[in-house]
Amino acid sequence: MSPSAEFVGTLAPSSAFGLAFLVGVGFGWFLERGGMGNARKLAAQFYGTDMAVLKVMFSAILTAMLGLFWLSWLGVADLSAMFVPGTWLLPQAVGGILFGAGFVICGLCPGTSCVAASSGKMDGVAVIGGMLAGVLLFAELLPLIEPLYEATPLGPLTLPELFGVSYGVVVLGITVMALVAFRVAERIEARLR
Amino acid sequence: MTHERRLAIVALILAAGAAVVGSPFSGGRAVGAVELQALARAASAGEDRVSSFELARWIRDGGAADRTLRVVDLRSREAFEDFTLPRGEWIPLDSLVRTPPDPETRLVLVSADGALAAQAWVLAQLAGHRNAWVLEGGALGWIREVLTPVVPAVLPDAERELWEELIELTRYYGGEPRRAEDPDEPIPAPAAPRDPDALVELLVQEGRDRGCGW
């Protein structure tokens, strides 16, 4: 049962998808307004001269995390209905490294490439093409890399389970970490600009 | 005070409150809303279980490389080592709950007679794992119905195909069917095995009818 369906009552699955589409459009709009469709701005994150990506994304994480925690506590949303994807430590680490390398090279990630493409930037279109080619290549190579793909399965793993603390303590920890990161990011920006 | 500073203070207050409250589930619920009626309906209609005959066919048809089906044996280690079902994996219940399998995988839960597996089925549904079934009769049922089934002395024409398939499966798994001594003894035919994808579709449709985003 999707939390959105719970929230609005008897929302049919097709309507829930329509709502998801609107949420997606809103998400893209906020990314574009925040400058996340600009490859130079995104790449600058890795050089420390513009930490906008960290600030925008961490702000979004804080908003969603605090919002969902309290909405769930109030009974408006059902946090436990949310699907938590499994953790496969080694392949996800390898994938993360590949993703990071691609991000620095292109200056865009999959989401922001769609933002860039929709605002008329051809580099966004090129990254989308590369992403789809990568998806196809992965599908073709899967039989070869399957041992890596399925290595180190840990199942759905959450931070509260990993550290043996309550959800609320993890929420506080991440909030403090984010606020410290914002302050450090501004100091790095000031030094490297 | 800047706008950013105000937002940071609000975030800290909300986060501190979260740390005090502890759990995001009101009333201390550890699991989400469960469609109890749907679970009860599935259990009453037999959609929560598979027969040994069905499992035997699924395993044979899927082949050794089939990674979409897992036979989870919940019995003790000693019982598992004493007798292991084909494709059986020994996973105690607490391990299964701690590290749940991929929700896309079909799970057949096996215990000695099916009781513990039925409890595991409920836990699997609570954890959101819809593709789980109880092996009816458990490991004992497998031995009785697949490895040493009693078949009629003379196969009735109406059910010949089912009986012949059962006999073929029995021999495939290294068992030996036993012919009934009394030719007039009525022996119920095994139920026709259901297609596993159709079973999943039944549960998925159930979910759609309830407005679940499966």
Side-chain angles (χ1 to χ4, degrees):
Chain A
M1 178 79 73
S2 68
S4 61
E6 286 277 17
F7 180 67
V8 297
T10 56
L11 201 63
S14 53
S15 303
F17 278 120
L19 184 65
F21 175 74
L22 289 175
V23 170
V25 167
F27 178 63
W29 188 84
F30 279 109
L31 279 182
E32 204 279 332
R33 291 286 87 201
M36 298 293 110
N38 183 326
R40 284 197 186 85
K41 194 176 184 68
L42 294 173
Q45 170 71 41
F46 297 93
Y47 299 104
T49 53
D50 188 338
M51 305 292 265
V53 174
L54 180 140
K55 292 177 198 170
V56 168
M57 293 305 175
F58 234 144
S59 301
I61 287 169
L62 276 191
T63 307
M65 179 182 68
L66 290 167
L68 278 174
F69 182 96
W70 286 110
L71 285 175
S72 181
W73 187 81
L74 290 168
V76 175
D78 186 358
L79 205 59
S80 64
M82 194 174 298
F83 172 67
V84 179
T87 298
W88 282 261
L89 206 55
L90 182 61
Q92 285 170 344
V94 170
I97 291 168
L98 278 173
F99 179 93
F103 197 157
V104 177
I105 292 169
C106 306
L108 294 167
C109 69
T112 52
S113 64
C114 296
V115 172
S118 61
S119 51
K121 299 187 178 73
M122 290 312 293
D123 57 349
V125 176
V127 171
I128 289 174
M131 177 176 62
L132 294 175
V135 168
L136 190 61
L137 183 66
F138 171 79
E140 291 300 316
L141 292 178
L142 186 56
L144 286 174
I145 62 171
E146 206 163 353
L148 172 64
Y149 183 71
E150 293 185 356
T152 59
L154 299 177
L157 202 57
T158 61
L159 291 175
E161 286 170 25
L162 186 65
F163 294 120
V165 297
S166 69
Y167 274 87
V169 168
V170 171
V171 165
L172 178 62
I174 292 176
T175 302
V176 168
M177 189 173 74
L179 296 177
V180 168
F182 293 153
R183 176 56 71 94
V184 169
E186 282 175 357
R187 291 203 174 156
I188 292 173
E189 271 178 332
R191 188 167 290 190
L192 295 180
R193 268 203 184 134
Chain B
M1 187 184 286
T2 62
H3 183 61
E4 288 82 6
R5 191 159 285 197
R6 275 196 215 103
L7 282 175
I9 291 171
V10 169
L12 270 175
I13 291 170
L14 287 173
V20 168
V21 163
S23 166
F25 306 109
S26 54
R29 264 188 311 131
V31 294
V34 173
E35 295 279 348
L36 290 177
Q37 282 192 332
L39 288 187
R41 247 196 321 269
S44 302
E47 290 160 13
D48 62 329
R49 65 199 87 122
V50 293
S51 66
S52 296
F53 187 12
E54 284 174 310
L55 179 60
R57 191 201 249 192
W58 289 3
I59 293 173
R60 183 200 59 188
D61 291 351
D66 180 15
R67 290 168 191 265
T68 64
L69 174 67
R70 295 180 70 181
V71 178
V72 174
D73 200 320
L74 300 162
R75 296 176 298 155
S76 69
R77 184 90 202 187
E78 292 74 26
F80 175 78
E81 286 172 357
D82 214 27
F83 171 74
T84 307
L85 270 76
R87 301 281 303 274
E89 299 173 53
W90 180 66
I91 305 178
L93 186 55
D94 58 344
S95 295
L96 191 66
V97 169
R98 196 167 47 244
T99 315
D102 181 348
E104 299 297 316
T105 308
R106 283 177 291 147
L107 292 185
V108 175
L109 304 163
V110 182
S111 58
D113 56 3
L116 181 61
Q119 293 173 321
W121 180 82
V122 175
L123 292 174
Q125 299 302 312
L126 289 175
H129 197 121
R130 309 291 183 219
N131 301 347
W133 295 275
V134 173
L135 178 64
E136 206 167 20
L140 296 172
W142 175 272
I143 293 171
R144 192 174 51 240
E145 291 162 29
V146 173
L147 295 184
T148 58
V150 176
V151 301
V154 176
L155 298 183
D157 288 330
E159 298 145 356
R160 177 172 294 276
E161 218 173 290
L162 278 174
W163 283 116
E164 283 175 349
E165 184 177 8
L166 178 59
I167 292 168
E168 183 197 328
L169 282 169
T170 298
R171 294 200 170 116
Y172 178 85
Y173 290 106
E176 192 59 43
R178 296 172 290 154
R179 294 279 174 179
E181 289 173 5
D182 181 357
D184 296 323
E185 181 186 347
I187 300 174
R194 296 161 293 178
D195 182 278
D197 294 329
L199 261 183
V200 173
E201 186 54 35
L202 255 178
L203 294 168
V204 171
Q205 188 55 49
E206 174 91 359
R208 287 198 193 112
D209 292 343
R210 284 183 276 126
C212 290
W214 287 3

